[in-house]
Amino acid sequence: MSDPKDPTPPGGGEPPEDAPKDVPEPVPAWKAILRGMGPTGLGLKIGAPVLALLISLGITMILLRVTGADPISSIQSMIDYGTTENSLVDIVNRATRYYLSAVAVAIGFRMALLNIGVDGQYRIAAFLAAALGGAITLPAPFGQLLVIVAAMVVGGLWAAIAGVLKVTRGVSEVLSTIMLNAIATGVIAYLLNDKRLAEVRPGSNNVATAQIPESGRVGSLNGFLSSLGLDLPGDVYGLLPLAIIVGIVFWVVINYTRFGFDLKVSGLSASAAQASGVNARRMIVYTMVASGVVAGLIGMPELLGASYEYSLNFPAGLGFTGITVALLGRNHPAGIALAALLFAFLDQTSDVLQEVDVPKEIVGVMQGVVVLTVVIVYELVRRWEIRLQQRAVAAELATGHDLARGAAGSAS
């Protein structure tokens, strides 16, 4: 018996010209979630996230009420504090790091690869790049380029280890990247020593690499923003435009290049990729390297724009935040940007909750609720839309004519 969802004639051959061609192929839920697949209709694309955010807001208010706090006043306090000028600067700077981290994760997600090692990749890349930048003095812009390129190379090479292990020995990238995170932590702890690549800061117990000279630093964007009439009290990362460029390049490469096509096909089906001439094993390594290269950039805004050294106080954990931001943003550059701003806002306003007797840890719960709600709603809406399309196909085949074409004709 033939499948009613298959437009191919029973005797074989090509499907009829009027057969529907836009029915999504079944994709496992975990792959659909990782690859950011969701509804295709414009109304559902807008309605799904709005519904998810409303649900998550309702759950958050219930959680706040359970803790004994007034949900309305708590959220109002967060909004008031998060919209001050100082907070806005910090939110933008946090979001810049979160955005780069999420894009690095999203590159792997597009191929259904779980690069859990972004955290280790960016930390070891930032550390070695900081040590190199502090040891060599070059005129601008070569000093900045040296540090940035070094970080990209180190991040790509560190991620390549997991890719090579997967295609040669069959080691899951989840296990290998988790172990590489631990190895990166150990390597940094060993080298971040006053007898090796670091020095003790006078008057403190902090250990850091040599400071990057003035010629190797990136100035803030405040001068440019002032020319636009925006006078901000704090310094906005000068590498914010770099994060924007990374997002644009990511979107163009994934959607409009052969590499992006090969990456997505390999993620959907290695056998189908092989049949179409794509080396799926090689694409795994290439994808991991590309993810690691972007991961190497995560620490650059902070290193070249604020700290100018890698110390014990250098931001950690950004790679894991990038996973949740990428899931929330559906692996889309615009969605990732909004998700990064939302997470940065929640992190920035967590301290003010203590003033209204709410534990700041509730923010972590809020972030988890938002991500889970968005992921679940998107997946449910995606499945619902696929069922509707499959029913339409079955109806067209049963009646022997194209219902969509007939509806269009009657409308005209």
Side-chain angles (χ1 to χ4, degrees), residues 253-267:
V253 169
I254 291 295
N255 294 281
Y256 301 103
T257 67
R258 174 60 186 268
F259 176 83
F261 172 79
D262 292 348
L263 185 152
K264 290 185 287 187
V265 169
S266 301

Side-chain angles (χ1 to χ4, degrees), residues 34-399:
L34 287 185
R35 297 181 70 245
M37 298 177 66
T40 57
L42 180 60
L44 293 177
K45 282 184 177 181
I46 298 174
V50 171
L51 175 63
L53 290 176
L54 289 176
I55 294 174
S56 62
L57 178 62
I59 296 174
T60 298
M61 296 182 74
I62 293 174
L63 290 174
L64 288 171
R65 174 60 69 184
V66 169
T67 62
D70 180 9
I72 303 299
S73 63
S74 298
I75 294 176
Q76 186 62 49
S77 298
M78 294 174 67
I79 294 174
D80 292 341
Y81 180 72
T83 51
T84 62
E85 289 186 344
N86 285 317
S87 291
L88 290 176
V89 172
D90 290 338
I91 288 171
V92 171
N93 288 340
R94 286 175 186 261
T96 300
R97 303 195 299 260
Y98 292 167
Y99 185 82
L100 289 169
S101 178
V103 171
V105 173
I107 293 173
F109 279 179
R110 283 287 189 163
M111 196 179 174
L113 287 175
L114 284 163
N115 184 7
I116 310 298
V118 168
D119 198 72
Q121 291 154 20
Y122 97 81
R123 285 190 293 113
I124 196 167
F127 169 71
L128 293 178
L132 180 63
I136 300 177
T137 301
L138 294 176
F142 300 106
Q144 296 93 329
L145 290 175
L146 174 68
V147 174
I148 292 174
V149 172
M152 294 170 66
V153 171
V154 173
L157 291 176
W158 199 257
I161 299 174
V164 172
L165 287 175
K166 183 176 179 67
V167 301
T168 59
R169 310 304 300 175
V171 179
S172 168
E173 75 278 5
V174 176
L175 296 177
S176 59
T177 50
I178 290 175
M179 290 187 290
L180 284 168
N181 280 341
I183 295 173
T185 301
V187 170
I188 294 172
Y190 175 77
L191 296 177
L192 193 62
N193 186 287
D194 58 348
K195 296 182 178 62
R196 297 179 183 91
L197 297 182
E199 55 191 35
V200 178
R201 287 287 173 259
S204 71
N205 295 325
N206 196 14
V207 181
T209 59
Q211 284 219 339
I212 296 175
E214 291 284 347
S215 59
R217 302 176 183 179
V218 177
S220 69
L221 289 179
N222 289 55
F224 171 74
L225 295 175
S226 295
S227 65
L228 300 178
L230 297 174
D231 294 320
L232 299 175
D235 291 335
V236 178
Y237 284 148
L239 288 181
L240 172 61
L242 176 63
I244 298 174
I245 293 173
V246 167
I248 294 173
V249 171
F250 165 68
W251 178 247
V252 172
V253 169
I254 291 295
N255 294 281
Y256 301 103
T257 67
R258 174 60 186 268
F259 176 83
F261 172 79
D262 292 348
L263 185 152
K264 290 185 287 187
V265 169
S266 301
L268 285 172
S269 172
S271 58
Q274 198 73 30
S276 61
V278 178
N279 190 327
R281 291 160 61 89
R282 185 181 303 167
M283 285 304 302
I284 289 175
V285 178
Y286 288 168
T287 302
M288 289 299 296
V289 170
S291 179
V293 166
V294 177
L297 295 174
I298 298 172
M300 294 302 99
E302 172 71 17
L303 179 64
L304 298 180
S307 65
Y308 313 119
E309 63 184 16
Y310 189 101
S311 68
L312 298 175
N313 299 325
F314 201 80
L318 299 178
F320 300 108
T321 303
I323 296 174
T324 55
V325 172
L327 287 173
L328 183 58
R330 312 300 297 174
N331 298 333
H332 189 289
I336 291 174
L338 294 175
L341 287 170
L342 174 61
F343 265 59
F345 170 82
L346 292 175
D347 285 342
Q348 178 67 20
T349 57
S350 61
D351 292 334
V352 78
L353 289 177
Q354 294 179 326
E355 299 180 4
V356 290
D357 297 327
V358 178
K360 61 181 298 184
E361 288 76 16
I362 196 69
V363 168
V365 178
M366 291 181 188
Q367 292 171 337
V369 167
V370 171
V371 174
L372 286 175
T373 305
V374 170
V375 168
I376 292 172
V377 169
Y378 258 91
E379 180 60 18
L380 291 176
V381 172
R382 184 184 75 89
R383 294 185 183 188
W384 177 73
E385 187 179 39
I386 289 176
R387 289 195 188 97
L388 290 182
Q389 293 174 353
Q390 289 174 342
R391 290 173 185 171
V393 171
E396 290 175 12
L397 294 175
T399 57

